[in-house]
Amino acid sequence: MLKRALTASIATVLTLGAATACSSGSADTGSGGSGGTPTVKLMVGGIDKQIYLPYQLAESLGFYKKYGVKVELSNEANGGVGADTAMASGQVDMAGAWYVHAIDFVAKGKGVESIVQLSGAPGEREMCSTESGVKSPADFKGKTLGVTDIGSGTDTLTKFMAGQNGVKDDQFHRIAVGAGSTAIAALQNGKADCVITTQPTVSAIEKKGVGASAINLASTDGAKETLGGAWPAASVLARTDWVNSHKDTVQKVVDALVATMHWMDSHSAADIANKLPASFTENELVTKDDYIKALEEDKGQFLPDGIMPAGGPKTVLATEVMVGKATSSLDLGKTFTNEFTLAANKKLGFTPKTTPAGSDG
């Protein structure tokens, strides 16, 4: 979830067991009760953003139904409870959110883990006005930088990029600009020199001529170049105790999403766009052609097999350590599992392309 990292609101989250990731527990039929097709409630932190498109695509392709689970998708409301917080408090079973939040939860003693990893990069771009002079994070000094929200994942990334390039927090200014039209307005009105955002907002900024991409975190290669390694972002998060007591249901959800990732890997951006609701691909910000072009450019952020990549958790942890949200001694094995994705790839007859992360990340 891009919108917010763990803040004081997490103090209201129900106490969670800090159990080890999927190490034990019995299978269950899921939220739908005994027998029949289990039902899972999954809230997404921006369901119409390209970085989160696999959740809806799986529904559009009929894969949830095919693999034996009913998934009730919902979208995090602006100003409402975040998807990760809703999951942690039991309002929903799963969250479509950034993996970094699992690290934040575990750092606070809460048992939350990523069960399937959809991307190896944040899918973000630092969009800067031509007058800003920003070409790299080293140029952040003295600038006003727009982030989704103060304390959000994009805020953490911004501070991390600055710190890696010798720019201290007090040498630049950060403001909350949200996403979509509000992020565009911040650039257009000169409130921000740069904003960190995703597609389709990136394409809209370029089309309006109010900014250009200065830093590319929209592909795994781009993340490696700027952040020092793959930075797994979009994922499915769930409480570890819930996962351990609903393993059969979890496997069905993961099967559906792994099948979706392989389908995406073998189909064009146009094919993908044609399977999504029209409201996702055509709106006040972009045309369908814009959407497809943007997806062609940034499709490299998605992993083909749902597997947490080796080295990825360590890179994400490094950002949290730098901004003071975790310590280097944190047990990364509690923040993710490849148990279900490896089983799904085997069951579906796919040879994984991603080297799986070990328990040490």
Side-chain angles (χ1 to χ4, degrees), residues 94-346:
M94 297 179 177
W98 272 13
Y99 161 66
V100 66
H101 296 301
I103 289 179
D104 291 336
F105 275 115
V106 171
K108 292 179 178 292
K110 314 296 183 183
V112 169
E113 62 194 67
S114 167
I115 58 171
V116 56
Q117 195 62 44
L118 306 183
S119 70
E124 305 279 343
R125 290 178 185 266
E126 194 76 51
M127 302 298 293
C128 301
S129 69
T130 54
E131 296 81 12
S132 70
V134 174
K135 303 297 181 185
S136 77
D139 301 320
F140 284 174
K141 189 174 181 179
K143 305 300 181 183
T144 297
L145 306 177
V147 299
T148 310
D149 201 358
I150 300 302
S152 67
T154 56
D155 189 30
T156 296
L157 276 178
T158 299
K159 292 194 291 182
F160 180 70
M161 288 190 290
Q164 276 191 316
N165 287 269
V167 181
K168 298 178 181 178
D169 286 359
D170 61 0
Q171 293 180 311
F172 64 101
H173 183 54
R174 306 176 338 272
I175 61 171
V177 299
S181 59
T182 53
I184 296 170
L187 272 183
Q188 206 163 20
N189 300 334
K191 287 181 61 179
D193 296 295
C194 305
V195 298
I196 185 168
T197 190
T198 64
Q199 298 286 11
T201 307
V202 165
S203 289
I205 289 171
E206 292 173 335
K207 194 171 183 178
K208 290 177 178 290
V210 297
S213 176
I215 301 166
N216 177 12
L217 302 179
S219 69
T220 303
D221 287 343
K224 288 178 179 177
E225 180 181 347
T226 304
L227 303 175
W231 206 94
S235 67
V236 175
L237 303 182
R239 301 189 316 277
T240 298
D241 60 348
W242 191 90
V243 171
N244 286 338
S245 61
H246 295 79
K247 284 198 169 188
D248 284 353
T249 299
V250 170
Q251 189 65 62
K252 293 175 190 295
V253 175
V254 174
D255 288 349
L257 286 169
V258 166
T260 301
M261 302 315 291
H262 282 285
W263 190 95
M264 287 180 61
D265 190 48
S266 61
H267 286 76
S268 69
D271 290 336
I272 295 168
N274 287 337
K275 291 292 184 179
L276 294 171
S279 61
F280 283 41
T281 60
E282 300 176 75
N283 50 51
E284 69 276 7
L285 293 180
V286 293
T287 65
K288 190 169 183 178
D289 286 343
D290 292 334
Y291 187 95
I292 291 171
K293 180 177 180 291
L295 184 54
E296 286 173 345
E297 292 177 357
D298 292 353
K299 195 176 172 217
Q301 69 187 278
F302 295 107
L303 297 168
D305 42 34
I307 292 171
M308 176 65 79
K314 288 182 179 179
T315 306
V316 179
L317 177 60
T319 67
E320 297 303 273
V321 171
M322 177 173 282
V323 300
K325 292 184 177 179
T327 65
S328 58
S329 62
L330 183 138
D331 185 354
L332 285 171
K334 292 181 178 180
T335 66
F336 73 95
T337 177
N338 276 321
E339 173 188 345
F340 300 102
T341 52
L342 290 173
N345 278 278
K346 183 177 180 180

